[in-house]
Amino acid sequence: MTEQSPALDNLLTESRTFPPSDEFAGQANAKADLYATADADREQFWAGQAERLSWDTKWSQVLDWTNAPFAKWFVGGKLNVAYNCVDRHVESGHGDQVAIHWVGEPGDTRDITYAQLKDEVSKAANALSSLGVVAGDVVAIQLQMVPEAIFAMLACARIGALHSVVFGGFSPTALRARVDDAAAKIVITSDGQYRRGKAAPMKANVDEALQGAETVQKVIVVKRTGSDLEGETPWTDGRDLWWHELVDGQSPEHQPEAFDSEHPLFILYTSGTTGKPKGILHTSGGYLTQTAYTHNVVFDHKPGEDVYWCTADIGWITGHSYIVYGPLANRVTQVVYEGTPNTPHEGRHWEIIQKYKVSIYYTAPTLIRTFMKWGEDIPAKYDLSSLRVLGSVGEPINPEAWIWYREKIGANKTPVVDTWWQTETGAIMISPLPGVTAAKPGSAQRALPGISAKVVDDTGAEVPHGGGGYLVLDKPWPSMLRGVWGDEERFRDTYWSRFSDQGYYFAGDGAKYDGDGDIWLLGRVDDVMNVSGHRISTTEVESALVSHPTVAEAAVVGATDPTTGQGIVAFVILRGNAVDGGDDAVQELRNHVAKEIGPIAKPRQIMVVAELPKTRSGKIMRRLLRDVAENRQIGDVTTLADSSVMDLISSGLNSGKEE
Ligand code: WT7
């Protein structure tokens, strides 16, 4: 554990509550008794949820936790995840229901029915098999939000191959590290992507990433930008294949094979406290059970009636669990949007909601705050009356944003569900139930029925109501991670060693109970930042900075930011021979980080300093740097090896080195 987050000391004063209307409560999928039902017999409760899926072979045991922390759920059961998300809806007579209303950034659209989805996924599965991809192989996918991304993920699931989706904004270096770590055999990407009205290259970056990548046999390229992109798409004969040439001619018939409930479904990399991202492993039966269950109860989703829209990118866990697996298992009709929220104008989301009559909308606090900044008159121009549930995820939502969301987007009547979970948990863990909970702005409130969470102190003892500490999950759950790819030790160390006596999963978040025992999340307590709902480790950014020839040393902290939640603030010491820390040098370093990791990791601010505050054992005291970055009075400096360092830093800053 590193230093305690200052957020833990925050006292919360929010006291407004918003119970559901009688009308909403009456029609809700989840009623208040669900908590008691789940508590009475947890395993039976989860078995009931698993029965919402279609199993080829039924399980013989719900949970095997004898080899903790490696859980097995629905032991002996067999199912095909893609069959559950696609074919069974066609078989039950819903082939003509639209699964995906896809909206391209330039304004082109595609409506894809379940029957068409079945054909596309089957063809893609046949295509992968034709390339020799078999169950257990890894397919890396770096694609923007195009339908082929979803087809590709489901095609992998259908044949038992694992996908490793890499966010489209990640750099070639970041893609390569992920391809190598998982020994990916195939990479699926596109020629280019539309970003803010312009076509930007994608394949060129992938080529740069894959130079000398020995495990990769084929690269499949979706044609998206075509001639809008300047120049020819770089091509390696014998390795590269166009998606349309490979897939379109395949047979739409494909027999899905049933895989073990614990068969790996995907790897998704996320930042930890070291520079090396962790490949979080998820498996099939438990993951699909919990994503489908939570999508059903948290969003109150009614198949065939609701139009759902989750604005996440499939490069993150939210896109996996709440665009692809949970919603499609529940026979959703959903909007998938390719572009940015202000292209071509700042009303784009509201225009889409109006057009498709979106009824459930799930987004991130950072975007809500951005909408607030753009002004309430923008959503006011559109008919948003179809909305009936609003969701939030990714970081703590501040009460002002919560209230704005409910009032300006939800006509002051829709429930707002603040959903806490992580890449590792696979699915929502703590959230109000929209038809049950009297919602409190800013609180995720309570573990869902079937889930158990606690706030504990340093010794693992539960804190009393009103007290703060660390969030733990004290009972295994179906969609829990099954490990860190290729690194059992890191899996045990990161999540299970902190409270090993109690056997608790340590989430890395600070939290507190209010007087009613509702949970308020207070942000990370480790060296992981949360920027616009994206996890970035301070160490990752530090190593990117020191990889630049002018940098001798770097320390990075996350500082509170009104829009992005946290902003990345870096303190760097330049090498003796580096010229100076002028604006150009700082700009160059910011771009360097963007190039090394991706634009999302670009520091908001870089401060050139002469020294960094260190303890006598040489550990950088980030707490003090956070004080500086957040313009606070600097805290206790007595453990510093040289206590004058902070004066130096502060006086340097006041002379205006920041941007
Ligand atoms: C971290 C997980 C879960 C999908 C998106 C992020 C923070 C997430 C909330 C929330 C407060 C939240 C936590 C968590 N977080 N949702 N509703 N309230 N904090 O997934 O990249 O795995 O990040 O995001 O700090 O540990 P992720």
Side-chain angles (χ1 to χ4, degrees):
M1 185 58 33
T2 53
E3 308 135 24
Q4 180 133 324
S5 155
L8 283 180
D9 306 329
N10 282 357
L11 274 176
L12 294 144
T13 49
E14 181 59 47
S15 60
R16 289 169 285 191
T17 60
F18 297 85
S21 66
D22 291 345
E23 191 195 345
F24 192 102
Q27 60 81 61
N29 292 348
K31 306 284 202 304
D33 61 357
L34 205 61
Y35 291 102
T37 310
D39 281 347
D41 188 338
R42 248 170 70 81
E43 293 192 9
Q44 199 189 320
F45 170 80
W46 282 115
Q49 294 306 328
E51 271 156 19
R52 297 182 63 243
L53 304 177
S54 167
W55 294 77
D56 208 71
T57 307
K58 206 182 156 172
W59 57 90
S60 53
Q61 191 185 351
V62 173
L63 167 66
D64 178 359
W65 190 230
T66 52
N67 186 31
F70 293 93
K72 285 191 177 144
W73 281 88
F74 310 112
V75 185
K78 281 188 178 6
L79 80 172
N80 186 286
V81 168
Y83 173 85
N84 271 281
C85 293
V86 184
D87 306 43
R88 67 171 175 145
H89 307 318
V90 178
E91 287 170 15
S92 66
H94 300 95
D96 291 339
Q97 181 183 325
V98 172
I100 298 169
H101 289 296
W102 180 77
V103 182
E105 193 187 86
D108 48 339
T109 61
R110 262 174 96 176
D111 282 350
I112 300 156
T113 65
Y114 275 96
Q116 289 165 336
L117 185 61
K118 177 171 177 282
D119 288 354
E120 295 302 331
V121 173
S122 298
K123 286 192 281 184
N126 282 323
L128 290 175
S129 299
S130 78
L131 299 178
V133 179
V134 295
D137 283 346
V138 176
V139 175
I141 302 174
Q142 188 172 43
L143 274 174
Q144 68 275 36
M145 296 296 286
V146 286
E148 287 80 2
I150 298 172
F151 305 160
M153 290 166 77
L154 290 168
C156 287
R158 200 172 176 97
I159 62 172
L162 292 77
H163 52 70
S164 164
V165 182
V166 179
F167 176 57
F170 273 132
S171 69
T173 318
L175 171 62
R176 176 59 178 275
R178 286 156 177 77
V179 163
D180 283 351
D181 188 69
K185 221 168 153 176
I186 306 280
V187 177
I188 307 181
T189 187
S190 64
D191 53 350
Q193 62 173 332
Y194 292 105
R195 227 55 203 153
R196 299 178 201 284
K198 281 203 232 47
M202 190 94 154
K203 173 63 165 49
N205 296 343
V206 170
D207 278 7
E208 186 185 330
L210 297 186
Q211 266 176 44
E214 282 172 7
T215 60
V216 177
Q217 298 169 3
K218 298 284 176 204
V219 176
I220 307 173
V221 188
V222 174
K223 189 176 258 180
R224 173 62 185 135
T225 47
S227 57
D228 285 353
L229 193 67
E230 242 177 79
E232 289 276 295
T233 301
W235 208 255
T236 304
D237 286 325
R239 185 196 68 178
D240 299 350
L241 299 157
W242 285 110
W243 172 283
H244 58 274
E245 287 177 5
L246 172 71
V247 175
D248 288 359
Q250 300 283 340
S251 160
E253 298 299 323
H254 181 274
Q255 188 60 39
E257 185 188 332
F259 294 100
D260 192 273
S261 177
E262 284 300 331
H263 186 78
L265 183 62
F266 64 84
I267 311 169
L268 182 61
Y269 286 83
T270 186
S271 291
T273 51
T274 71
K276 188 175 185 274
K278 306 175 273 205
I280 302 301
L281 175 67
H282 283 288
T283 60
S284 305
Y287 173 81
L288 196 63
T289 297
Q290 194 177 330
T291 51
Y293 157 66
T294 49
H295 177 260
N296 177 48
V297 298
V298 173
F299 301 113
D300 194 47
H301 173 255
K302 309 279 196 286
E305 294 171 31
D306 277 308
V307 179
Y308 165 86
W309 183 13
C310 165
T311 69
D313 188 284
I314 49 130
W316 312 109
I317 191 69
T318 311
H320 286 59
S321 302
Y322 296 105
I323 294 177
V324 182
Y325 293 108
L328 291 175
N330 287 338
R331 185 162 54 84
V332 77
T333 293
Q334 70 178 322
V335 167
V336 172
Y337 173 51
E338 181 184 38
T340 43
N342 52 351
T343 308
H345 57 79
E346 291 169 347
R348 189 76 194 261
H349 277 213
W350 320 125
E351 183 181 76
I352 292 173
I353 289 173
Q354 173 177 283
K355 173 172 174 192
Y356 292 102
K357 302 198 165 36
V358 171
S359 54
I360 306 170
Y361 179 72
Y362 189 29
T363 195
T366 183
L367 193 57
I368 299 167
R369 290 190 295 263
T370 303
F371 291 142
M372 288 172 76
K373 218 162 54 184
W374 291 344
E376 60 180 83
D377 50 314
I378 296 175
K381 286 188 212 130
Y382 297 87
D383 177 6
L384 306 180
S385 62
S386 52
L387 289 170
R388 60 179 206 94
V389 180
L390 300 175
S392 169
V393 63
E395 53 172 312
I397 177 165
N398 47 312
E400 305 85 278
W402 194 103
I403 296 282
W404 189 90
Y405 195 28
R406 180 178 155 108
E407 281 181 357
K408 311 297 177 211
I409 308 305
N412 214 4
K413 62 171 207 275
T414 57
V416 173
V417 286
D418 174 10
T419 63
W420 180 91
W421 57 295
Q422 310 178 296
T423 304
E424 292 86 343
T425 69
I428 298 171
M429 302 294 282
I430 305 177
S431 166
L433 286 176
V436 177
T437 316
K440 297 176 180 171
S443 172
Q445 296 187 284
R446 225 181 132 171
L448 289 175
I451 300 296
S452 186
K454 281 189 163 74
V455 181
V456 301
D457 65 18
D458 252 329
T459 69
E462 187 167 15
V463 302
H465 288 183
Y470 304 104
L471 182 72
V472 297
L473 303 168
D474 57 314
K475 294 196 177 112
W477 63 100
S479 64
M480 67 195 293
L481 76 167
R482 301 303 199 266
V484 172
W485 190 251
D487 200 342
E488 180 173 336
E489 198 179 311
R490 195 166 178 200
F491 173 55
R492 291 182 186 275
D493 277 2
T494 312
Y495 306 106
W496 303 98
S497 65
R498 183 76 175 76
F499 298 106
S500 57
D501 289 350
Q502 297 84 355
Y504 293 164
Y505 168 92
F506 172 51
D509 281 37
K512 87 182 260 353
Y513 288 130
D514 65 15
D516 303 325
D518 280 322
I519 297 173
W520 297 70
L521 277 309
L522 301 172
R524 303 286 309 190
V525 293
D526 53 13
D527 292 332
V528 174
M529 299 172 287
N530 187 328
V531 182
S532 300
H534 302 318
R535 250 157 91 171
I536 301 166
S537 92
T538 53
T539 334
E540 237 175 319
V541 180
E542 284 165 6
S543 30
L545 283 166
V546 295
S547 75
H548 191 274
T550 61
V551 176
E553 224 183 321
V556 168
V557 296
T560 306
D561 185 283
T563 307
T564 60
Q566 283 191 310
I568 304 176
V569 178
F571 296 80
V572 298
I573 303 178
L574 296 180
R575 285 181 193 277
N577 55 1
V579 256
D580 72 315
D583 288 352
D584 290 352
V586 163
Q587 195 50 44
E588 153 102 21
L589 287 178
R590 293 180 70 232
N591 293 339
H592 177 71
V593 175
K595 189 174 159 289
E596 285 297 303
I597 304 174
I600 50 164
K602 203 179 208 179
R604 179 185 82 185
Q605 231 174 330
I606 294 183
M607 311 189 186
V608 177
V609 294
E611 292 290 346
L612 288 171
K614 289 185 185 158
T615 60
R616 274 170 275 269
S617 62
K619 193 172 153 33
I620 293 171
M621 291 189 69
R622 288 208 170 69
R623 175 172 57 81
L624 299 177
L625 293 176
R626 260 195 306 267
D627 288 342
V628 174
E630 294 176 345
N631 296 318
R632 259 197 312 273
Q633 176 111 42
I634 290 162
D636 182 11
V637 295
T638 50
T639 52
L640 278 182
D642 174 359
S643 59
S644 66
V645 165
M646 288 317 293
D647 297 337
L648 251 166
I649 292 179
S650 308
S651 60
L653 294 184
N654 294 337
S655 71
K657 278 276 158 68
E658 55 190 288
E659 295 204 19

